[in-house]
């Protein structure tokens, strides 16, 4: 396992036109730990996550990966050179709610593609490595399938393998199980738990409170673009002080009572 | 009375003329694909000027009847000192008109791809060039095949218009045949059968391609 990255988010602000989506966010993501981002819909969880690999441009503040500013040359300065940005992104894996697998390629080709185009690996080696990565997520017998011939859970595991094969030092997950049928959630969470146990730095936007409670090292709660609280799950999920968090958790529990 | 022998006799000259129908529509679509690709690049460009150029190109060519455009080109070329056979003007006009539709087909196909497709490529650190050639274009081309075949079928039918500038394609040949034999119904029915045969083949080709490219 390669070294794990840390992320430092300082006074980050993000606007969509006039709309202030992220307000002065400060958050430290320690290396090798799992940080869950929770909060109501529209609170800015995805926006914040996507600022970490600069898929979304933040307007002010700093996002530092291992102390290195991402996106800009200096805080508030010029955009960083595309080449350097790509280089930084290639060490940050991202997993999307909708999987975003490339439908015209097999599972194995999906995983190999980044190794070939970004890491400059030769195709046979890349395919071999893709096979290993897929085997680790339990898909050794599905490597030749196109995404349309895989279940949602299998597709998401391919997407995780695609990210992990790049040897990232940090993994970002945006609601990785929200698009899945309930019975398929477990297989994806298990793969994520294994990654976490391996010492990967993970930032996970999730509505799976069980995952947050049992796997996260810290949980950050956002509401209306503000970071309302950050704490270990036992405190923030069991005895939150902020009334906004209390009310969010109450709604969550009510919805999940059978 | 319908004369079966005149009907059958018409097929030989019309089949000869079909070569021009295929030449005009085939070359038209081939050149149209190339020009259409350029126009599509302009239409998707970040520069407002290029986007406007593409928009003007597309709306002129889609807004003016092809028959009128053929006549414009036919009479314009000699005026600006270009002396080429009518068939050349016909092919060029067809290609240019096709390019407008094709660029829109491709633009539509590219825009129809979910944003997440490129985002996944960007997130992994791919260069824009690779994400275009490996992720976007292969999918957009596959997605556009049914519409491109449809466009080709429209071009085969529209090629009957080039008869007005004197190209001896199926339609003009059937007029000539009718004039010689005084059997217009037989001649035009034979023409109809030929067009139908060509387009049924193209439709079959389209289904085969679609099936092959399906993921
Ligand atoms: N591209 C955009 N343009 C304009 N507004 C946007 C854009 N993306 C997000 N927003 C707005 O910013 C706010 C935060 O969005 P974001 O997607 O980060 O929320 P979220 O917490 O991830 O919500 P969800 O749980 O529904 O995914 C929302 O109000 C959303 O409408
Ligand atoms: Mg979201």
């Amino acid at each position: 396992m390669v070294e794990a990255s840390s992320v430092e988010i300082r006074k980050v602000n993000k606007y969509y036109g006039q709309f202030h989506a992220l307000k002065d966010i400060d958050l430290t993501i320690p290396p090798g730990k799992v940080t869950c981002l929770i909060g109501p819909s529209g609170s800015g969880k995805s926006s914040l996550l996507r600022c970490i690999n600069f898929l979304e441009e933040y307007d002010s503040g700093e996002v530092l990966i291992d102390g290195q500013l991402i996106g800009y040359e200096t805080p508030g300065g010029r955009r960083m050179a595309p080449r350097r940005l790509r280089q930084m992104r290639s060490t940050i894996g991202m997993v999307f709610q909708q999987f975003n697998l490339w439908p015209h390629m097999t599972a194995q080709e999906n995983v190999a593609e980044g190794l070939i185009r970004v890491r400059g690996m030769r195709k046979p080696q890349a395919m071999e490595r893709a096979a290993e990565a897929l085997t680790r997520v339990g898909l050794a017998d599905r490597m030749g399938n196109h995404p349309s011939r895989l279940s949602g859970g299998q597709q998401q595991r391919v997407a995780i393998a695609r990210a992990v094969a790049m040897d990232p030092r940090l993994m970002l997950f945006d609601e990785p199980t929200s698009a899945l049928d309930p019975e398929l959630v477990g297989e994806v969470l298990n793969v994520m738990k294994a990654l976490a146990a391996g010492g990967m730095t993970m930032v996970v936007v999730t509505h799976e409170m069980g995952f947050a409670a049992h796997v996260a090292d810290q949980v950050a709660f956002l509401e209306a673009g503000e970071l309302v609280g950050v704490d270990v799950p036992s405190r923030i999920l069991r005895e939150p002080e902020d009334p906004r968090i209390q009310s969010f958790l109450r709604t969550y529990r009510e919805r999940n009572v059978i | 009375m319908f004369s079966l022998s005149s009907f059958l006799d018409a097929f030989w000259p019309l089949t000869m003329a079909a070569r021009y129908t295929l030449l005009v529509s085939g070359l038209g679509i081939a050149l149209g694909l190339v020009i259409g690709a350029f126009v599509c690049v302009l239409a998707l460009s970040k520069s407002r000027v290029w986007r406007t150029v593409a928009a003007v190109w597309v709306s002129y060519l889609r807004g003016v009847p092809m028959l009128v455009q053929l006549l414009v080109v036919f009479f314009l070329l000699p005026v600006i000192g270009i002396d080429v056979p009518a068939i050349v003007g016909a092919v060029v006009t067809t290609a240019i008109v096709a390019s407008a539709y094709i660029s829109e087909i491709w633009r539509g196909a590219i825009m129809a791809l979910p944003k997440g497709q490129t985002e996944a490529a960007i997130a992994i650190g791919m260069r824009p060039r690779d994400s275009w050639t490996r992720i976007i274009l292969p999918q957009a081309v596959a997605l556009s095949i049914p519409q491109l075949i449809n466009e080709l079928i429209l071009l085969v039918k529209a090629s009957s218009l080039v008869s007005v500038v004197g190209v001896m394609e199926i339609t003009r040949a059937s007029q000539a045949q009718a004039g010689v034999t005084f059997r217009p119904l037989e001649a035009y029915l034979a023409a109809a059968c030929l067009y139908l045969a060509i387009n049924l083949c193209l439709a079959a080709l389209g289904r085969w391609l679609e099936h092959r490219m399906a993921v």
Side-chain angles (χ1 to χ4, degrees), chain A residues 16 19 21 40-47 175 207:
Chain A
Y16 293 107
F19 180 72
S41 180
S43 55
K45 307 180 295 292
S46 299
S47 302
E175 299 198 35
H207 289 298

Side-chain angles (χ1 to χ4, degrees), chain B residues 17-166:
Chain B
R19 292 179 305 178
Y20 286 96
T21 295
L22 293 176
L23 182 74
V24 169
S25 43
L27 261 184
I29 196 116
L31 292 173
L33 288 169
V34 176
I35 306 171
F38 277 108
V39 178
C40 183
V41 169
L42 297 187
L44 293 170
S45 123
K46 285 200 184 101
S47 142
R48 217 221 203 101
V49 178
W50 289 129
R51 286 205 309 269
T52 311
V53 169
V56 169
W57 179 269
V58 169
S59 54
Y60 168 77
L61 292 165
R62 294 204 304 185
V64 176
M66 185 160 155
L67 181 57
V68 175
Q69 298 190 44
L70 274 167
L71 293 169
V72 167
V73 169
F74 185 70
F75 290 106
L76 176 76
L77 289 182
V79 172
I80 58 175
I82 299 177
D83 186 21
V84 289
I87 180 87
V88 176
V91 166
V92 169
T93 310
T94 307
I96 285 176
V97 170
S99 79
Y101 290 93
I102 290 168
S103 75
E104 284 296 285
I105 289 171
W106 276 342
R107 197 173 65 95
I110 289 168
M111 311 255 284
L113 294 184
K115 239 178 99 202
Q117 288 292 305
T118 7
E119 282 184 351
I122 293 172
I124 220 165
M126 253 193 237
R127 289 177 297 186
R129 190 207 312 162
D130 289 330
S131 91
W132 274 99
T133 59
R134 302 288 305 164
I135 310 299
I136 303 172
L137 291 180
Q139 291 188 65
V141 168
L143 207 63
S144 66
I145 289 216
Q147 285 163 289
L148 288 178
I149 291 291
N150 192 40
E151 177 62 20
L152 180 54
I153 289 173
L154 289 174
L155 280 189
V156 167
K157 293 191 286 180
S159 71
S160 66
L161 296 172
V162 310
S163 59
V164 300
V165 295

